[in-house]
Amino acid sequence: MKLAIVYWSGTGNTESMVDVIRERAKELGADITTFIASEFDASDLKNYDVFAFGCPASGDEELEPDEFQPMWENVRSQLTDKKIALFGSYSWADGEWMRVWEKDARSVGAILVYDPIIAEERPNAECVEKLKHMAEALLQ
């Protein structure tokens, strides 16, 4: 199973979530490639079986606008029937950016294999366990 993990991280909190997903997927034998959002585009989709997208809340609870949002706009319409997972971190507000992002992913027919995961700042022990389960769900 080929997994692409595509993310943006400003403070390192979302990147630490990537590390958990990558390590668990590696334990399960997945072929994993990690991309910073600006390195990934729609032409890469054909090379992977499943996708994990990670982005923290930015600005007024939105996806990071300079790198992640443009990448997301480029790939989103081609995620129909693709197995994906969404995750990210925040330090304020209530997670509205993730609810909007989840709705957007579902609206194009993406298959979310696990409920989106949000970490308040760095992922705590409970969040780490959820991220491991997310990796397992992606690879089933």
Side-chain angles (χ1 to χ4, degrees):
M1 182 79 67
K2 294 182 78 172
L3 166 63
I5 304 173
V6 185
Y7 76 99
W8 187 89
S9 187
T11 62
N13 294 333
T14 299
E15 186 172 15
S16 66
M17 298 173 82
V18 168
D19 294 341
V20 173
I21 295 167
R22 182 177 45 234
E23 187 59 34
R24 182 62 183 134
K26 185 177 177 183
E27 291 170 356
L28 296 169
D31 179 1
I32 307 145
T33 305
T34 304
F35 297 90
I36 303 297
S38 61
E39 302 170 337
F40 191 83
D41 67 37
S43 67
D44 294 309
L45 291 169
K46 67 184 178 306
N47 300 321
Y48 299 91
D49 302 306
V50 294
F51 306 87
F53 292 99
C55 186
S58 186
D60 188 25
E61 283 218 71
E62 58 197 17
L63 295 173
E64 188 282 326
D66 296 322
E67 292 182 38
F68 197 90
Q69 182 68 41
M71 177 281 303
W72 179 253
E73 289 302 318
N74 178 261
V75 303
R76 68 183 286 281
S77 66
Q78 295 181 47
L79 293 175
T80 303
D81 296 328
K82 302 255 190 248
K83 290 172 53 175
I84 72 167
L86 305 177
F87 63 95
S89 59
Y90 73 108
S91 59
W92 74 96
D94 73 349
E96 178 183 0
W97 103 100
M98 186 61 76
R99 292 189 298 276
V100 170
W101 188 16
E102 177 185 11
K103 183 177 179 181
D104 186 43
R106 290 186 190 282
S107 76
V108 297
I111 301 165
L112 275 75
V113 299
Y114 200 86
D115 288 338
I117 298 175
I118 300 174
E120 186 173 356
E121 304 282 343
R122 290 195 72 73
N124 61 22
E126 179 183 347
C127 183
V128 166
E129 287 305 308
K130 287 180 180 179
L131 290 163
K132 289 177 182 178
H133 293 302
M134 173 183 277
E136 293 163 6
L138 276 166
L139 299 174
Q140 288 182 356

